[in-house]
Amino acid sequence: MEAAVAVFGLLFVLFVLAGVFVTVKAVKAAKAGVDRTVAQARRTVEDTTLRARQFAQPGVVGELAQLRLSLRTSMRATQEALHSGSSEDASLSEAIGLFERLSVHGHELDDELKRLEREPDRATIADRLPEFRERLERITHSAESLRWAARDRARKFADDDLASLSDQIDVESGALRHWTRVEGAEDPLREPVQERRPGQGQRQGQAQGSGQASAGSGNSWGPDSEDPPAITAAQDPRTQPSYPWQKAPRTEGTTT
């Protein structure tokens, strides 16, 4: 009895622990989904604000917004290209590591440009814009190099796979079109050809014609008139013909 209680208690504890584990995993997944949704919404709001500021506030503020928007767009496109291709190509792991190091410089530049938007000294900002533009070009150029290299690699693999597939399809198509049979005697699908001797066809035709003629001369519903009957009926002696060398037949009821 005590053993059964201990087993039930152990099972209850295991069920509780499993429930707690599943609950924690579900909460973490929900939290990660919420964080991802919030971050995506924040990026969308910031991008929309930068686009609006780029056209609504010309000058230094508008140019800063343009630099930030170009930086964010280039870095995001490179990140998506590398991470989407890493699931199929493990060689992109090193490129992803390089991009993460490049992202540190990109975040520093974005934060610095963001602080300059609240700077009241517009003249100093205008003097430093060429420096920021040069840094932006170096970062975006490196990001574009990684992005296009990953795309070219994926396209090269796709072209090689397509070329191999085309060759296989050509071979299979040729095999499907090869329906000509071998004209040798060992071919099991070849129809046997019978040799005919001279006059054999004429003799066969005459035999067939005579057989058809003999078959057509008789009636299908009775024996031929020339054939003898199968059973000979008894003939009346009075109807039989008499000859001079024969005695007259004896009739019943007469005495000699």
Side-chain angles (χ1 to χ4, degrees), residues 177-198:
R177 291 192 179 94
H178 192 268
W179 55 72
T180 305
R181 298 176 181 176
V182 182
E183 294 298 334
E186 67 277 1
D187 186 6
L189 300 180
R190 181 185 178 187
E191 296 181 358
V193 180
Q194 299 180 356
E195 296 182 357
R196 293 186 177 181
R197 298 178 181 178

Side-chain angles (χ1 to χ4, degrees), residues 141-157:
H141 177 71
S142 299
E144 289 174 358
S145 297
L146 289 175
R147 182 171 69 251
W148 284 108
R151 290 176 178 175
D152 292 342
R153 182 180 179 86
R155 185 172 63 252
K156 177 62 177 176
F157 287 161

Side-chain angles (χ1 to χ4, degrees), residues 60 63-64 67 108-109 112-113 115-116 119 121-136:
V60 178
E63 192 165 354
L64 289 175
L67 293 177
E108 291 178 355
L109 179 59
E112 190 171 357
L113 293 175
R115 288 192 300 268
L116 291 177
E119 179 66 35
D121 191 0
R122 303 301 184 185
T124 305
I125 298 175
D127 294 337
R128 297 189 60 182
L129 278 178
E131 177 187 351
F132 296 136
R133 190 177 294 109
E134 182 182 358
R135 289 176 59 188
L136 174 65

Side-chain angles (χ1 to χ4, degrees), residues 30-128:
K31 185 177 182 298
V34 171
D35 294 340
R36 185 166 53 251
T37 303
V38 171
Q40 184 176 0
R42 184 183 296 111
R43 287 195 301 266
T44 303
V45 171
E46 291 179 357
D47 292 345
T48 304
T49 304
L50 291 175
R51 289 190 180 92
R53 189 176 299 170
Q54 176 183 357
F55 296 104
Q57 298 179 0
V60 178
V61 178
E63 192 165 354
L64 289 175
Q66 181 181 1
L67 293 177
R68 290 188 62 194
L69 188 60
S70 300
L71 176 64
R72 294 162 67 91
T73 304
S74 178
M75 298 297 288
R76 189 178 299 119
T78 303
Q79 182 180 10
E80 292 177 356
L82 293 178
H83 285 281
S84 62
S86 62
S87 59
E88 300 178 357
D89 189 2
S91 301
L92 294 178
S93 58
E94 185 176 356
I96 293 176
L98 294 175
F99 175 75
E100 290 177 353
R101 295 174 56 186
L102 183 64
S103 298
V104 175
H105 297 278
H107 286 299
E108 291 178 355
L109 179 59
D110 186 68
D111 294 338
E112 190 171 357
L113 293 175
K114 186 176 181 179
R115 288 192 300 268
L116 291 177
E117 291 178 353
R118 297 185 296 269
E119 179 66 35
D121 191 0
R122 303 301 184 185
T124 305
I125 298 175
D127 294 337
R128 297 189 60 182

